[in-house]
Each structure stands twice: as C-alpha cells, then as structure tokens.
Amino acid sequence: MAVWDVPLFVLASAIAATGQRTAVIVATAWTVAVTVFLGLFAVVTMTAGWGAVLMTAAAAASVLACLVILHGSVPTHWLMVGPFRIRPAPAGASVGRHVGATAGQIVVFWGLALGLVPALLVWVETRWMLHVPLPAGVRITGIVLFVAASTVGLWSGAVMSTHGDGTPLPIATARRLVVGGPYRFVRNPMAVAGITQGIAVGLMLSSWIVVLYAVCGSVVWNAAIRPHEERDLEARFGEQFRRYRIQVRCWVPRLTPVPIDQSAASPVGASAE
C-alpha cells in the first residue's frame, strides 16, 4: 500500500495542485480507499484505531476539497433531490394522516439515527480499542437529557402535524407556517432536540464517538440542509417567515416566547424544519 501511495496520492496531489481535475479525483479516491482498508484492518486486528480515526477525518476533508475544486463549492443541493427533495404535504389530507406520517417519520428516524447508527459506532469504537468508560453520573445525565429532548421532539412533531397541514420533514413539509408550541421559542426545535438526543445517547453509551457523530450531524444539518429549507420557507411565506426569522433564533431558544398576538396575526403559524 505504501508503494501505491506514492503515485496515487503523493504524485497525484502534486499534479492536482496544477489544476488537473483527474488527479484530484485519483488522490481523493485513493485516500478514501486507504481509509476503508485501515478501518477494516483496525476492526479485524483491534489495532490502529487512532490511525483509522485520523484517516477518516483526512478522507472527509479530501472529499470536501475535491468537491470544491470540481464544482466551485460543496454541492449541498445534492442532498435535497429524489426522495429527499422539499415538497409540501398532499393538499387536503386530514390531520390524522399528518399525525400518522409524523409518527412514522419519528419511529424511522429515531430508530436509525438514535438506535442503529450509535450501536454500530459503539461496536466499531470497541473494536478499535478506543472505548473510554464514563462515570455513572454522566450516563444518568444522558438519560435525563434524552428524556427532556425527546419530549421537545414529540411536542414539536405534534404541533407541526396538527397545525401545519404537513409533517416536520422536507419530504412532506407543512403547507402552513406554524408559530406555536416550541416554535415560539426556537426556529428549529426538532433539530435542536435531535442533536441533543444524539449527544445524550453518546453519554448513555459512554461513547465519545457517538457524541462526535451527533455534533458532526448538527454541523452538516446547519450548513447543508437548513439553508435550503429556509430558502423554501421564505419563497412560500415571504414576509411572514422573514419576520419570524428575525424574532426567533435558529439554535438558541428565546427566554420568552414570541408574543401570542404576533402568532395570532399570522394567518398560519412557522417552521424551519
């Protein structure tokens, strides 16, 4: 592998510096391939765990750099195509249908993002010999945090599905702007709740990698998903959403809710989910 590293990474990187796009792709593909190999090697041998972590970070940086070089920026719109593109929920659907769809989304999302993925990460963390047990008090804090965040998430989903004519996810986004419930305090209560849940799961599982996974998820959501969702909300709701965006912060909740008369003045309520 070291022999192949010279032409496929060292020389390819040098050529890429001259602007050769093919060399950029070759160097990035090789970095990703080495990362996968090292990760599997660390799983099988239970050694080189920190090397696998560092190579994973290097591969992620290489992929981002490759996209910027090839496209001028990271094409985040690729994340919003096909089944993930933003589209309003079906017109005329009943509240019960929206509630049911929201419940299904929560079951699938929580099961995957807060169950399956963390379990896999903990297994990898253990195989890589990187697991660091945390004090019992930290795990108890994680449980309390998870319950609180889950309560906010369920509350947000209930408000969105009963008052927004849609669901919290972009694939069946609300047809009405909802300023109510937790949305009176923060623009993205379900995102805040989800990230907090992820961190809480990491604490409960005594896994720093799961905590890092949750933090990275918040960065990806904030940088790649939220701008597209908010552009869609502004396009559909105009001044009503712009006024809401000024009054309510994205991540940091208000100490006091948006005045109730402001909500009543809006023909429909607000979500940045």
Side-chain angles (χ1 to χ4, degrees):
M1 181 165 287
V3 172
W4 283 104
D5 206 44
V6 174
L8 296 179
F9 181 74
V10 178
L11 294 181
S13 296
I15 297 172
T18 67
Q20 296 296 319
R21 295 162 66 92
T22 301
V24 173
I25 296 173
V26 169
T28 302
W30 178 248
T31 303
V32 172
V34 172
T35 300
V36 172
F37 174 83
L38 185 58
L40 293 175
F41 177 84
V43 166
V44 173
T45 65
M46 299 182 72
T47 61
W50 282 112
V53 170
L54 294 175
M55 276 304 301
T56 299
S62 296
V63 170
L64 290 176
C66 179
L67 291 173
V68 170
I69 292 172
L70 297 180
H71 299 280
S73 64
V74 178
T76 57
H77 61 278
W78 288 357
L79 299 173
M80 311 300 292
V81 299
F84 301 105
R85 69 182 178 86
I86 299 175
R87 53 189 182 275
S94 66
V95 171
R97 180 176 176 181
H98 295 315
V99 171
T102 298
Q105 292 172 1
I106 289 175
V107 169
V108 172
F109 179 79
W110 287 12
L112 292 176
L114 302 176
L116 183 61
V117 173
L120 178 61
L121 290 176
V122 169
W123 179 79
V124 170
E125 182 179 348
T126 302
R127 295 293 302 178
W128 287 1
M129 301 296 289
L130 300 177
H131 189 69
V132 181
L134 297 178
V138 174
R139 294 194 290 273
I140 293 173
T141 300
I143 294 173
V144 173
L145 198 60
F146 184 82
V147 171
S150 298
T151 299
V152 173
L154 293 173
W155 183 22
S156 303
V159 170
M160 182 58 58
S161 58
T162 56
H163 298 287
D165 285 348
T167 74
L169 292 186
I171 58 174
T173 190
R175 304 183 68 88
R176 299 184 355 187
L177 199 60
V178 180
V179 181
Y183 293 93
R184 294 180 62 197
F185 295 88
V186 64
R187 286 209 308 273
N188 304 284
M190 290 204 75
V192 173
I195 300 304
T196 304
Q197 284 174 308
I199 293 174
V201 169
L203 297 179
M204 288 189 292
L205 297 176
S206 189
S207 171
W208 66 270
I209 285 185
V210 172
V211 173
L212 181 62
Y213 150 75
V215 173
C216 289
S218 70
V219 173
V220 171
W221 188 89
N222 188 65
I225 305 299
R226 182 178 64 84
H228 295 287
E229 292 188 357
E230 293 202 342
R231 278 196 291 271
D232 172 72
L233 288 167
E234 185 172 7
R236 289 192 291 133
F237 300 115
E239 181 59 28
Q240 184 183 0
F241 174 71
R242 287 191 289 270
R243 184 171 62 248
Y244 173 72
R245 184 171 56 193
I246 292 172
Q247 292 181 320
V248 181
R249 291 184 291 266
C250 176
W251 289 104
V252 181
R254 291 168 54 104
L255 296 179
T256 58
V258 170
I260 195 69
D261 59 341
Q262 174 63 35
S263 301
S266 301
V268 286
S271 157
E273 306 290 0

